[in-house]
Amino acid sequence: MKTRDDCLALDAADALAGLKDRFELPPGVIYLDGNSLGAKPRTAAARAAEVIGREWGNDLIRSWNTAGWFEAPSRLGDKLARLIGADEGEVVVTDTTSLNIFKVLAAALRIQQRDQPSRKVIVSERDNFPTDLYMIQGMIDFLEQGYELRLIDADLSLEDALDADAAVLLLSHVNYRSGAMHDMARVSGLAHERGALVIWDLAHAAGAVPLALTADGADFAVGCTYKYLNGGPGSPAFLWVAPRHMDHFWQPLSGWWGHSNPFEMSDRYDPALGIRRFLCGTQPIISLSLVECGLDLALEADMQDVRAKSLAMADLFIELVETRCADHPLTLVTPREHAGRGSHVSFLHPEGYAVMQALIARGVIGDYREPELLRFGLTPLYLSYADVWDAVEILRDVLDSRAWDKPEFRTRAAVT
Amino acid sequence: MKTRDDCLALDAADALAGLKDRFELPPGVIYLDGNSLGAKPRTAAARAAEVIGREWGNDLIRSWNTAGWFEAPSRLGDKLARLIGADEGEVVVTDTTSLNIFKVLAAALRIQQRDQPSRKVIVSERDNFPTDLYMIQGMIDFLEQGYELRLIDADLSLEDALDADAAVLLLSHVNYRSGAMHDMARVSGLAHERGALVIWDLAHAAGAVPLALTADGADFAVGCTYKYLNGGPGSPAFLWVAPRHMDHFWQPLSGWWGHSNPFEMSDRYDPALGIRRFLCGTQPIISLSLVECGLDLALEADMQDVRAKSLAMADLFIELVETRCADHPLTLVTPREHAGRGSHVSFLHPEGYAVMQALIARGVIGDYREPELLRFGLTPLYLSYADVWDAVEILRDVLDSRAWDKPEFRTRAAVT
């Protein structure tokens, strides 16, 4: 049976412990929602002041050149590439995950249209993050070219879904609800064997688990910089394309920034070679610039150390919840096997919404997802083992005292 | 013949003069590029510090509710509506102008597909801002439904272009090069008479000229917040849809934020009623928040006063350039008639690129557009008549002394 002193001992031996002070977290808060919105790097405020004061206010339009605004999506992309097993020139930071799904899905369908035009099925999972499904539905509806969406669920396995009609497989690497993680190499290999291309949504994976896009044979990937990469609320997303696909197709969101020579002001779109053709319109420079603060911190840590601490914290969290809150109806939905999960842990509780609100009121910030799901993100860069202990103690107290059983904790907020 | 004292007298009588101090401009700079990137409101730095410090850093994920992040695109849209002749609930601030063109063009084509399916031509202008044309080309190429782009130019009039095949007319209200402005009511009326729907790109018009989207019969509009609205570099764009079209179509970039009930986490896209269905993915909250600083300043001014000062400054600028720089090969390309122009003035000069670099080196910041075009933005909120005088004096000196004729002014920067 573990004690809080055991946790303190783990913290004393933690190679990543020094990074916690590089983030600024409010006093009295144990933040277990870095899987939804990452914490603020201490450098963010100064960087924003520089972009707003010097780059915008003083240098004005000249900053497109002097502050490197034009190169920023690629410069940040090159840094991010190191965290996802990709190379320089293969990643851009731009737009939103939803929009980037549209771009890479369009590119993937075009490749299949050329090579295997009879394949008209886009495969995903019913419990994939909804926006992934919505973007697929929007494209199918818009194209009117006979595509259909096929969803893997309790009644349909991945293996069965990948039949001779499957054009593209779009999966989240780590599931936003359960935290379950796919084996990227195995699934990519299976998709290719069956003739499908594979798009990975890394929203809950980038910065959370070691990734090897190239080695694992992925075709396309998109992801988020404001969760485990700590880029700030709604910071621009990223997009990766395997070099073998990069220059073959002009994706339909073909704005000026993706043009081969945008300042020539030609009336005809001519896509840039390489990853830049996946850029579209003018990016939100201030939000984009702050992505670098989070990336620089992530790059200071070894992803293998991050993964080891993430798994150890999650193991600890699960063990403590299952022992210290054993009298309460909490059901673990995250896979126990290390290889099968990402960096957050989810439990079901019949009063999940109210329990989470009561936890938040006590300073333990996780989040809630319909139905009944309590999510706890375990972010190695700014959480300690003692934090995990303390969070479970507060959870236990909230449950033992039925502190959640109050009207104010049952009232749904606009955003859950 | 005007003198600098005449300009000072105009400034003394200027009802908008007090707004200049609400912006922070670098010393020694006369900023004539607010048509490309607006100046920085003094409130921007403090607002950014608040969003980064309190909303992100301290309140973290709770700010989706407590800081109103979820409502921000609509709240800002409602403010912006007052500047463009629209009503509450008709505008959102989101994504980029390029992406918003894609959304409204998709919606417009869907309406025509239902009502007049034989119309397959999208009409625009050859000298429209390139990204508008690129987005149309991307959509046509992607859809493979027989659409084509028809460009108005020296050989094809608007009247001739709007034939029985024309589905949609997409125009910039104010041309990014010449500053020429369309008569929105007349052109919208003509388009409707010919059976086409009309999309207005207001990038160079919003905040620059009075607009009356509803009264003038527009169908859709998009535009930019970082030019005359001073929202900050690359700040999110806006999108307006006439209420008569709003709820009829599901646009294809159908991400979570446009869902009727996004936190239900349904696997099926069900679009929100109203303008919110034109939202897609998570927005860059810091850049988005700063849009409000610029909007609040714009709303302090009466748009009729802004227009009167803009025209008076441009008349003065043209008169001074044509008299004091008369010996130099400068050709006005902006229409002289007030009703036919926006808020920037452009001259051709055979050495335009080098002339602009020499001007910038002397603190007069305008910009250059291929080929040969010098652009000067006249922004009433933070320019004085004396600024106009001083800018022309420096232009005259640069031309008289051939200060532009140096190798360093001929070397093209990455971004022009």
Side-chain angles (χ1 to χ4, degrees):
Chain A
M1 194 73 164
K2 290 224 172 43
T3 67
R4 193 169 193 277
D5 282 341
D6 295 332
C7 295
L8 291 173
L10 287 169
D11 287 327
D14 174 13
L16 299 174
L19 283 166
K20 185 176 174 122
D21 275 345
R22 311 285 291 282
F23 293 86
E24 210 167 341
L25 283 160
V29 161
I30 300 174
Y31 193 57
L32 304 181
D33 209 10
N35 51 309
S36 186
L37 171 62
K40 186 184 73 161
R42 281 192 191 273
T43 50
R47 180 79 185 105
E50 186 189 16
V51 177
I52 293 168
R54 182 174 60 77
E55 298 183 10
W56 176 17
N58 193 75
D59 297 347
L60 290 155
I61 194 70
R62 296 168 289 195
S63 286
W64 278 99
N65 288 301
T66 57
W69 289 352
F70 186 67
E71 296 304 327
S74 299
R75 185 180 73 251
L76 299 177
D78 285 346
K79 285 193 174 189
L80 204 154
R82 294 154 57 188
L83 296 166
I84 59 176
D87 279 333
E88 287 193 5
E90 297 176 3
V91 178
V92 279
V93 177
T94 191
D95 290 331
T96 66
T97 306
S98 300
L99 291 165
N100 289 339
I101 285 174
F102 195 88
K103 297 174 195 171
V104 299
L105 179 57
L109 291 180
R110 275 295 170 91
I111 293 171
Q112 293 291 38
Q113 193 179 36
R114 177 194 63 183
D115 295 344
Q116 306 184 88
S118 68
R119 291 180 176 262
K120 291 288 190 185
V121 171
I122 302 163
V123 178
S124 191
E125 291 177 308
R126 192 172 303 281
D127 67 351
N128 196 352
F129 188 68
T131 214
D132 296 46
L133 306 181
Y134 301 161
M135 295 308 294
I136 298 170
Q137 290 166 31
M139 184 174 289
I140 288 173
D141 173 74
F142 185 57
L143 275 178
E144 299 188 329
Q145 291 172 8
Y147 288 103
E148 62 177 272
L149 173 59
R150 177 183 294 165
L151 294 177
I152 298 162
D153 58 16
D155 298 324
L156 181 68
S157 71
L158 173 64
E159 284 70 13
D160 288 340
L162 289 174
D163 66 10
D165 296 326
V168 176
L169 173 65
L170 191 164
L171 293 177
S172 287
H173 186 225
V174 175
N175 184 275
Y176 81 106
R177 283 176 52 84
S178 67
M181 182 168 75
H182 284 291
D183 178 334
M184 187 181 287
R186 187 189 75 79
V187 173
S188 299
L190 178 68
H192 291 166
E193 202 181 289
R194 302 288 176 90
L197 293 169
V198 61
I199 298 169
W200 291 101
D201 179 344
L202 306 177
H204 290 267
V209 299
L211 291 163
L213 287 170
T214 302
D216 288 348
D219 294 295
F220 301 91
V222 300
C224 171
T225 67
Y226 56 78
K227 296 178 187 288
Y228 292 94
L229 295 174
N230 307 301
S235 56
F238 68 87
L239 180 156
W240 169 83
V241 177
R244 63 184 175 279
H245 300 311
M246 206 173 276
D247 294 330
H248 297 311
F249 296 91
W250 159 0
Q251 56 87 15
L253 302 178
S254 50
W256 74 267
W257 210 328
H259 195 278
S260 61
N261 188 354
F263 303 101
E264 192 184 68
M265 300 287 171
S266 160
D267 61 25
R268 197 184 153 70
Y269 186 75
D270 175 42
L273 284 176
I275 193 68
R276 201 159 61 73
R277 70 174 54 187
F278 285 86
L279 299 177
C280 180
T282 307
Q283 291 303 293
I285 296 294
I286 301 167
S287 285
L288 181 67
S289 299
L290 297 193
V291 171
E292 199 154 17
C293 301
L295 285 179
D296 285 346
L297 283 176
L299 287 168
E300 285 189 37
D302 184 304
M303 270 310 295
Q304 301 303 328
D305 290 346
V306 170
R307 177 63 167 165
K309 182 175 173 186
S310 156
L311 290 169
M313 285 200 301
D315 285 346
L316 174 68
F317 185 79
I318 293 167
E319 178 191 338
L320 292 176
V321 170
E322 294 189 330
T323 52
R324 303 181 72 80
C325 309
D327 298 340
H328 300 285
L330 287 161
T331 312
L332 179 70
V333 298
T334 304
R336 288 178 198 274
E337 326 84 81
H338 285 181
R341 61 169 137 110
S343 198
H344 72 269
V345 171
S346 301
F347 284 91
L348 295 173
H349 185 288
E351 297 287 348
Y353 184 83
V355 169
M356 183 51 72
Q357 300 321 303
L359 274 176
I360 291 171
R362 294 281 300 275
V364 176
I365 303 180
D367 64 23
Y368 171 79
R369 286 293 175 263
E370 293 289 356
E372 298 195 358
L373 198 83
L374 299 164
R375 284 198 310 185
F376 302 97
L378 297 158
T379 49
L381 302 189
Y382 51 82
L383 285 177
S384 67
Y385 293 93
D387 288 333
V388 173
W389 175 276
D390 294 342
V392 177
E393 279 305 280
I394 292 169
L395 172 62
R396 185 182 58 72
D397 189 59
V398 160
L399 294 171
D400 286 353
S401 67
R402 292 183 65 88
W404 54 266
D405 193 8
K406 293 180 181 162
E408 70 261 36
F409 295 141
R410 294 176 181 276
T411 308
R412 300 293 166 115
V415 179
T416 59
Chain B
M1 191 76 164
K2 291 223 171 45
T3 65
R4 192 168 195 277
D5 282 341
D6 296 333
C7 295
L8 291 173
L10 288 168
D11 287 329
D14 174 13
L16 299 174
L19 284 165
K20 184 174 174 127
D21 275 346
R22 312 285 292 281
F23 292 87
E24 209 168 342
L25 283 159
V29 161
I30 300 174
Y31 192 58
L32 304 181
D33 209 9
N35 51 309
S36 185
L37 171 62
K40 186 185 72 162
R42 280 192 192 274
T43 50
R47 180 78 185 106
E50 187 190 15
V51 178
I52 294 167
R54 182 174 60 78
E55 298 182 11
W56 175 17
N58 193 75
D59 297 348
L60 289 155
I61 194 69
R62 296 168 289 195
S63 286
W64 278 99
N65 288 301
T66 58
W69 290 351
F70 186 66
E71 296 304 328
S74 299
R75 187 181 71 249
L76 298 176
D78 284 346
K79 287 194 174 190
L80 205 153
R82 295 154 56 188
L83 296 167
I84 59 176
D87 280 333
E88 287 193 5
E90 297 177 3
V91 178
V92 279
V93 177
T94 190
D95 291 331
T96 67
T97 306
S98 300
L99 291 165
N100 289 341
I101 286 175
F102 195 89
K103 297 174 195 171
V104 298
L105 180 57
L109 291 179
R110 275 294 171 93
I111 293 171
Q112 293 291 38
Q113 193 179 36
R114 176 195 63 182
D115 295 344
Q116 308 183 86
S118 67
R119 291 179 177 263
K120 291 288 190 186
V121 170
I122 302 163
V123 177
S124 192
E125 291 177 309
R126 192 172 302 281
D127 66 351
N128 196 352
F129 188 69
T131 214
D132 296 46
L133 305 182
Y134 302 162
M135 295 308 295
I136 299 171
Q137 291 165 31
M139 184 175 290
I140 289 174
D141 173 75
F142 184 57
L143 276 178
E144 299 187 331
Q145 291 172 8
Y147 288 103
E148 62 177 274
L149 173 59
R150 177 183 295 165
L151 295 176
I152 297 162
D153 58 16
D155 299 324
L156 181 68
S157 70
L158 173 63
E159 284 71 11
D160 289 341
L162 289 174
D163 67 10
D165 297 327
V168 177
L169 173 65
L170 192 164
L171 293 177
S172 287
H173 186 226
V174 175
N175 184 276
Y176 80 105
R177 283 176 52 84
S178 68
M181 182 169 74
H182 284 291
D183 178 335
M184 187 181 285
R186 188 189 75 79
V187 172
S188 298
L190 178 68
H192 292 166
E193 202 181 289
R194 303 290 176 88
L197 295 169
V198 60
I199 299 169
W200 291 101
D201 179 344
L202 306 177
H204 290 267
V209 299
L211 291 162
L213 286 170
T214 302
D216 288 349
D219 295 294
F220 301 92
V222 300
C224 170
T225 67
Y226 56 78
K227 298 178 186 286
Y228 292 95
L229 295 173
N230 308 301
S235 56
F238 68 87
L239 181 155
W240 170 83
V241 177
R244 64 183 174 279
H245 301 312
M246 207 173 273
D247 294 330
H248 297 312
F249 295 91
W250 159 358
Q251 56 88 16
L253 302 178
S254 49
W256 74 267
W257 210 326
H259 195 279
S260 62
N261 188 353
F263 304 101
E264 192 185 67
M265 300 285 172
S266 159
D267 61 25
R268 194 181 156 72
Y269 186 75
D270 175 43
L273 284 176
I275 193 68
R276 200 159 62 73
R277 68 174 57 186
F278 286 85
L279 299 177
C280 180
T282 308
Q283 292 302 295
I285 297 295
I286 300 167
S287 285
L288 182 67
S289 299
L290 297 192
V291 171
E292 199 154 18
C293 301
L295 285 178
D296 285 346
L297 284 175
L299 287 167
E300 285 190 37
D302 184 304
M303 269 311 295
Q304 301 302 330
D305 291 345
V306 170
R307 176 63 168 164
K309 182 175 173 185
S310 157
L311 290 168
M313 285 201 301
D315 287 345
L316 174 68
F317 185 78
I318 293 168
E319 179 192 337
L320 292 176
V321 170
E322 294 189 330
T323 51
R324 303 182 72 81
C325 309
D327 297 341
H328 299 286
L330 288 162
T331 310
L332 179 70
V333 299
T334 305
R336 287 179 198 273
E337 325 85 83
H338 285 181
R341 60 170 137 109
S343 198
H344 73 269
V345 171
S346 301
F347 285 92
L348 295 174
H349 186 288
E351 296 287 347
Y353 185 82
V355 170
M356 184 51 73
Q357 301 321 304
L359 275 175
I360 293 171
R362 294 280 301 275
V364 176
I365 303 180
D367 65 22
Y368 171 80
R369 285 292 175 266
E370 294 289 356
E372 298 195 358
L373 198 85
L374 299 163
R375 284 200 311 186
F376 302 97
L378 297 159
T379 49
L381 301 189
Y382 50 80
L383 284 178
S384 67
Y385 293 92
D387 287 334
V388 173
W389 176 276
D390 294 341
V392 177
E393 280 304 279
I394 293 169
L395 172 63
R396 185 182 59 71
D397 189 60
V398 161
L399 294 171
D400 286 353
S401 67
R402 292 183 66 87
W404 54 266
D405 192 9
K406 290 179 182 162
E408 70 262 35
F409 294 141
R410 295 177 181 276
T411 308
R412 300 294 166 112
V415 179
T416 59

